[in-house]
Each structure stands twice: as C-alpha cells, then as structure tokens.
C-alpha cells in the first residue's frame, strides 16, 4: 500500500507513543514518516515534531509504535497587531457594563493585609482564622499551571521560587490563517522568562493562593507557602497539549505538592473519542489529547501531586453537556457545532484522572450563573465571584462581588488601565483597578475578576494548608498523599444545601434560558456545591481524622 504523499507548509505536530512502546521507537517512527523530532516527554511518551502539514499524521497512523498524532500549529509569520485574549478564559463582566526550602521554625501566626477587607472570598474560606493556626509551610510548593506569574509583584515576590519555576511555552505569533495569536515576541527567542506574565490570569490566580501577608496589598489563602510558576498557557490564553503535559510531568519531577489548573486544554472544550461532527483527523487528535493528558495526570499523582482544577465557565451540567459551539477554537474560524455525548466526551483537565473539580459561588453563596455544575465531576465549591449576585439589592452588578487579586503592571499598561508613569488611567479607575504603595516605594496593582478560574485557587490554597498542617518528611521530601489531601478538603468542607426551589433561572439577572440549572443531591453532596464550600480553618483544625482515612 502506497504511503500518503507529504505536502504543504511545515507544521508542528504532537505525537503520542502507544502504551508499552518506548519513546525511542516512537521517535524512529516519526523520522520514518518524514518528520523531525524537536523534543520528547519520556514520562508520557509525547513527542513534538515538525513535518509537512499534509500526509504526515496519516503515515504515522499505521505504525504500531504510535497511539496518535495531531497537528498542533503551523509556523506563522510576524503580524501587524497584538492578539486579542482568548475568550472565556475568565469572565470579566465588569469590563462589559525568593522562597526558602527550610523547615519552618514555628507556625508563627500572621495577620491580614490592608486590602484584605475587600476579599470576601478570603473570609468565606476562613483564611483569616486558619492563618492563626497554620499560615502555610515554605516547604509546600504550589505549581501555578497558567499563563505565567509576575514574580516581581510585591505580594508575590516573597513567596516566589524562581529557581524551580519554568515556562514550557513559546510565543505563537500567528496561526496558519495569519490571524494573530500571541502577537510580536516581547523577548528574543520568543520565550518569556519564567517570572513573567503577559496575560494577567496566572498572576491573579497566584495571588489568591499565596500572596504574602506582608502588611502590604492583599494576602492569599495560604500566605506562607511557596509559589512555583509552571507555565503552560500562551500570552493569548490558549493552553495546548505539549506544554500542558510538560507542566504536569515537571510538577511531579520537581516535587510540587499541589497544582492549580484554571483552564481547559485547547482547541477542544470537549474532547470526544469519535464525534460524528468531527473529521477523522479531528477525532484522532482528540483521542490523543485524552490519552496524553490522563497519562500526565496519573504521572503527577504517582509523584504525590494534588491536582485542583476549575470546573468551567460554560454554565453546563458536566454530566449532561449542552451542544459545544466553541470548538475547535484554534486555528481561527475552525469552529463547528458539535452535540456532546457524555459517555465519550470529556473536558480536560477537570474530567481527567485524580483531578478535584471546583465550582464557583458568589458573596451570597448562590451558585454563580456561569459556573459549570453537576454531581458527576464537582468535588467542592469556592468563592469565584458573581458580578450579578444580589439581584434586587445594592450588591447587584457591583465589582465588589468579584475577586480582587494581584495584577501585573505590564498587563495593566497594555490594557490601558495604568499609564507609563504608573498611575491609574480613567479606564483603570472605572474597572476598579487598585494601586498600593509601600513606605519603601514598592508599588503593586490589583484587579477584579470572576470565574471558576478564581474559585479553584481558593481550594488550592486550602489544599496547600492541608499539606502544611499534616504533611510528613520522608526521604528528604516533605508532602502528603493526594488521596489524604482530597479526604481532608472534602471532609472538612462546609455543607451547603440545594436552593429551594432546586431549579434556578437567571432571567432576572439578564441571562437566557440556557443558564437555567437544577441542583441534584443532598446537603452532604450535590451538583451546585459538591461536598461543600472549602473551609481553611476547619481543614487545619479538624482534618486529622480524614488524613488517616
């Protein structure tokens, strides 16, 4: 049988070795099919290769050493303009209307910071109380798998581990259609430093988890633990397969205790094994993503990593998903409507192996309108912001319903919210951006956001406190088994019953009927809140029985 002809411009592919096959055998197959190996992840068997856009994946599909191959991206050229952010990474409704590895000498209580009075989420998870018992242990390392972390921010810097931080992405200037993705490279080589965030999402997440309690700005849920940037997200907010897998396996190899994942793996909101609406090549790509991500999650779990993920912002019951009208979201203009079969389709990483899914509620404890839900995937719930909370009260459509956290100055300038002199612009003031100046001249900026992306970091911070409180040193490593972390997190969560009536519409809030959601389950476990709202104080004071199982 004749081999498919290779044709077209050079493209980048991700190739996954078959189970039981060596990476070396898979690399040999890549070369035999006409590709060039760029790098390999031996822990998972995932290879990045370049080859002509047409014919390469088809050639590989017949090789028993290969599970699957998928085109990751074409090699683009310089654009004229900077990219727009990826939609739906986080809801931003308000726009629309050097860490130590030493053992702690003592669990010294820490206080709160000047802007913490605005952090209703911090009070909701009772971090203001938990820090008087356990503020976090520097030996506990939390990986931020996101768009990067601004390690120079005054609230991040005291807890930031630059030595262990990594950036697994390379800026993508344009996609194969010429549409701007990340835009012009800010650094030579198109690889940002590991203490940089050109999007703002990752820095916001990091601040909620572990901003230092240093008498300045805001503090995080676990203000004494160590922050490690494990970047897998593009400047534009896309999270592709190879960087995500590399970040997860690195988290295991580097001895990280907890990782936060407030994203889904692009380009598919739901990865389906054989969706009739997708082409054979698209189906093969999704099967490859499912297998590779689960291998990486299992690897991290075996290495002692607790994985926490945002449940998603599509207001979907993950046990009965609505039609997917946003995939594939890369390259531009590739989207087509897809019915989703729950038995064969998954959203990753939240529906992956050993992942704790976190739903979002607002300051009234009502499920946020955008938050995904359902008993199939939710573990716990946490404050994520809900701009439209409090209909009929002065709270309704106010910034204070969202989550305030750290904001990189460079992003604020790019978005027009901070001027070159470091002052807030009128646009920044309107959006509630805040500036804090310390007596020694240090300046930090803060912005309001909402989304399950903001809920997950609250749960991640509590998970880090659980490891801090109950972790043990073994063979030079400090940590706690992920199953024990899960038992404490879920066992000490504060139960919240389903609302009455159980079916909630958001018509008064200005949403359409697709947002209507029905809460199923009991106060002990239900689809809106899982096992309940995460509770940092209960976790560090009453979690011991759950550690033992």
């Amino acid at each position: 049988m004749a081999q498919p002809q290779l044709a077209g411009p050079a493209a980048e592919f991700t190739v996954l070795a078959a189970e039981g096959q060596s990476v070396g055998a898979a690399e040999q197959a890549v070369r035999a099919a006409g590709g060039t190996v760029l790098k390999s992840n031996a822990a998972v068997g995932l290879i990045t290769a370049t080859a002509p856009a047409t014919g390469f994946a088809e050639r590989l599909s017949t090789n028993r050493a290969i599970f699957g191959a998928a085109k990751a991206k074409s090699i683009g050229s310089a654009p004229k303009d900077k990219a727009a952010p990826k939609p739906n990474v986080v809801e931003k409704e308000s726009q629309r209307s050097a860490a130590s590895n030493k053992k702690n000498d003592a669990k010294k209580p820490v206080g709160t910071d000047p802007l913490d009075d605005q952090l209703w989420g911090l009070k909701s998870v009772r971090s203001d109380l938990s820090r008087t018992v356990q503020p976090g242990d520097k030996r506990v390392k939390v990986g931020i798998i996101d768009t990067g972390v601004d390690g120079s921010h005054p609230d991040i810097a005291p807890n930031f581990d630059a030595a262990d931080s990594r950036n697994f992405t390379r800026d993508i200037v344009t996609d194969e259609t010429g549409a701007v993705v990340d835009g012009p490279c800010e650094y030579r080589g198109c690889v940002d430093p590991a203490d940089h965030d050109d999007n703002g999402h990752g820095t916001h997440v990091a601040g909620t988890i572990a901003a230092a309690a240093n008498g300045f700005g805001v503090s995080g849920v676990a203000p004494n633990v160590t922050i490690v940037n494990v970047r897998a997200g593009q400047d534009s907010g896309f999270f592709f397969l190879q960087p995500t897998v590399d970040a997860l396996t690195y988290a295991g190899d580097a001895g990280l205790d907890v990782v936060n994942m407030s994203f889904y793996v692009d380009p598919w909101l739901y990865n389906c094994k054989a969706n009739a609406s997708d082409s054979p090549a698209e189906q093969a790509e999704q099967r490859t993503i499912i297998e590779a991500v689960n291998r990486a999650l299992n690897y991290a779990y075996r290495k002692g990593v607790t994985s926490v993920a945002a449940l998603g912002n599509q207001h979907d019951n993950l046990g009965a998903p609505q039609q997917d009208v946003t995939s594939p979201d890369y390259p531009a203009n590739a989207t087509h409507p897809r019915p989703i079969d729950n038995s064969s389709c998954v959203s990753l990483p939240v529906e992956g192996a050993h992942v704790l899914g976190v739903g979002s509620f607002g300051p009234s404890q009502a499920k946020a309108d955008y938050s995904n839900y359902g008993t199939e995937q939710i573990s716990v719930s946490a404050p994520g912001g809900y701009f439209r909370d409090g209909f009929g009260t002065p709270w309704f459509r106010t910034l204070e319903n969202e989550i305030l956290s750290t904001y990189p100055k460079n992003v604020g300038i790019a978005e027009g919210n901070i001027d070159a002199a470091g002052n807030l612009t009128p646009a920044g003031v309107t959006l509630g951006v805040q500036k804090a100046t310390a007596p020694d001249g240090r300046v930090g900026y803060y912005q309001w956001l909402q989304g399950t992306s903001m809920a997950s970091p609250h749960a991640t911070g509590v998970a880090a406190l659980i490891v801090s409180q109950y972790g043990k040193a073994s063979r030079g490593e400090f940590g706690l088994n992920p199953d024990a972390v899960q038992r404490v997190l879920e066992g000490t969560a504060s139960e919240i019953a389903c609302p009455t009536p159980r079916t909630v519409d958001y018509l008064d809030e200005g949403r359409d009927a697709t947002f209507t959601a029905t809460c199923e389950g009991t106060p002990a476990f239900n689809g809106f809140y899982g096992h309940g709202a995460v509770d940092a104080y209960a976790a560090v004071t009453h979690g011991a029985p759950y550690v033992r199982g």
Side-chain angles (χ1 to χ4, degrees), residues 21 32 44 234 237 243 270 289 348 358 360 393 397 482 492 521 529 531 535:
Q21 293 287 330
V44 169
Q234 303 296 137
Y270 290 97
I289 292 171
L348 293 168
V358 185
S360 177
T393 76
R397 298 183 69 90
T492 60
Y529 302 103
H531 291 274
D535 188 328

Side-chain angles (χ1 to χ4, degrees), residues 192-490:
D192 295 340
D195 62 350
H196 183 76
D197 180 8
D198 207 35
N199 178 286
H201 189 269
T203 299
H204 195 282
V205 164
T208 296
I209 296 169
N214 54 0
F216 174 88
V218 300
S219 65
V221 173
N224 274 14
V225 302
T226 296
I227 297 168
V228 182
N229 176 27
V230 192
R231 179 174 168 181
Q234 303 296 137
D235 289 347
S236 49
F238 289 102
F239 287 78
F240 295 115
L241 179 60
Q242 183 81 49
T244 300
V245 166
D246 288 346
L248 280 166
T249 57
Y250 175 77
D253 292 337
L256 304 190
D257 296 285
V258 188
V259 294
N260 186 88
M261 299 179 290
S262 291
F263 61 90
Y264 67 84
V265 179
D266 293 289
W268 303 94
L269 172 60
Y270 290 97
N271 289 275
C272 303
K273 293 180 179 179
N275 193 316
S277 299
D278 302 328
S279 70
E282 290 173 331
Q283 292 175 11
E285 174 183 315
Q286 291 167 76
R287 289 192 294 269
T288 300
I289 292 171
I290 293 169
E291 179 71 13
V293 171
N294 277 292
R295 285 188 197 178
L297 288 166
N298 278 314
Y299 182 85
Y301 168 79
R302 292 194 300 270
K303 293 278 190 171
V305 180
T306 297
S307 295
V308 183
L311 207 61
N313 298 338
Q314 291 75 37
H315 53 89
D316 244 356
N317 179 347
L318 290 180
Q322 302 178 60
Q323 185 181 54
D324 177 9
V325 295
T326 65
S327 300
D329 60 6
Y330 183 94
N333 303 316
T335 301
H336 54 265
R338 313 162 65 227
I340 299 301
D341 170 36
N342 186 55
S343 66
S344 60
C345 300
V346 290
S347 185
L348 293 168
V350 70
E351 295 191 84
H354 308 293
V355 176
L356 307 181
V358 185
S360 177
F361 58 76
S364 75
Q365 227 166 233
K367 184 189 86 69
D369 52 359
Y370 57 79
S371 181
N372 287 349
Y373 61 100
T375 56
E376 183 176 294
Q377 299 300 333
I378 194 169
S379 170
V380 291
S381 54
Y386 178 14
F387 183 67
R388 304 182 188 212
D389 200 359
F391 178 76
T393 76
W395 288 7
F396 184 58
R397 298 183 69 90
T398 56
L399 280 169
E400 292 78 11
N401 285 346
E402 298 186 350
I403 303 298
L404 184 69
S405 189
T406 42
Y407 187 33
K409 179 181 178 182
N410 59 296
V411 177
I413 291 173
E415 293 181 341
N417 297 327
I418 303 168
D419 66 24
N423 300 310
L424 300 184
T425 64
V429 172
T430 299
L431 292 174
V433 175
Q434 298 187 36
K435 176 182 178 180
T437 304
D440 62 4
R442 290 173 300 139
V443 176
Y445 299 90
Y446 307 86
Q447 66 168 332
W448 298 94
L449 294 177
Q450 69 168 1
T452 55
S453 286
M454 285 62 253
S456 180
H458 284 89
T460 297
V462 177
L465 291 177
I466 291 167
V467 180
S468 298
Q469 183 70 7
Y470 305 109
K472 303 293 184 183
S474 175
R475 299 178 182 176
E477 298 278 335
F478 181 82
L480 185 63
N481 183 280
D483 292 335
V485 176
Q486 179 177 358
R487 288 194 298 269
V488 178
L489 186 72
E490 294 177 347

Side-chain angles (χ1 to χ4, degrees), residues 107-160:
K107 298 175 187 175
K108 296 179 180 177
V110 297
T112 54
D113 284 348
L115 298 181
D116 287 356
D117 283 346
Q118 301 179 59
L119 306 188
W120 62 268
L122 201 71
K123 299 178 182 68
S124 174
V125 304
R126 300 207 291 174
S127 172
D128 53 337
L129 296 178
S130 65
R131 66 187 59 193
T132 65
V133 177
Q134 176 57 266
D137 190 312
K138 289 292 185 194
R139 293 172 296 176
V140 175
K141 296 185 177 184
V142 180
I144 314 298
I145 303 182
D146 215 288
T147 61
V149 176
D150 177 10
S152 68
H153 192 289
D155 264 327
I156 300 293
N159 290 337
F160 188 72

Side-chain angles (χ1 to χ4, degrees), residues 5-77:
Q5 293 295 309
L6 299 178
E12 192 170 287
F13 290 81
T14 50
V15 181
L16 185 63
E19 193 71 49
Q21 293 287 330
S22 70
V23 174
E27 289 177 342
Q28 185 175 352
V30 167
R31 296 186 183 99
T36 300
V37 174
L38 298 182
K39 62 179 180 178
S40 299
N41 184 313
V44 169
L46 192 65
I47 299 164
T48 300
T50 56
T54 302
F56 175 69
E58 291 81 358
R59 285 189 175 192
L60 280 176
S61 66
T62 61
N63 194 304
R64 66 184 181 86
I66 302 300
F67 177 91
K71 187 166 70 174
K73 57 179 180 288
S74 294
I75 300 170
S77 57

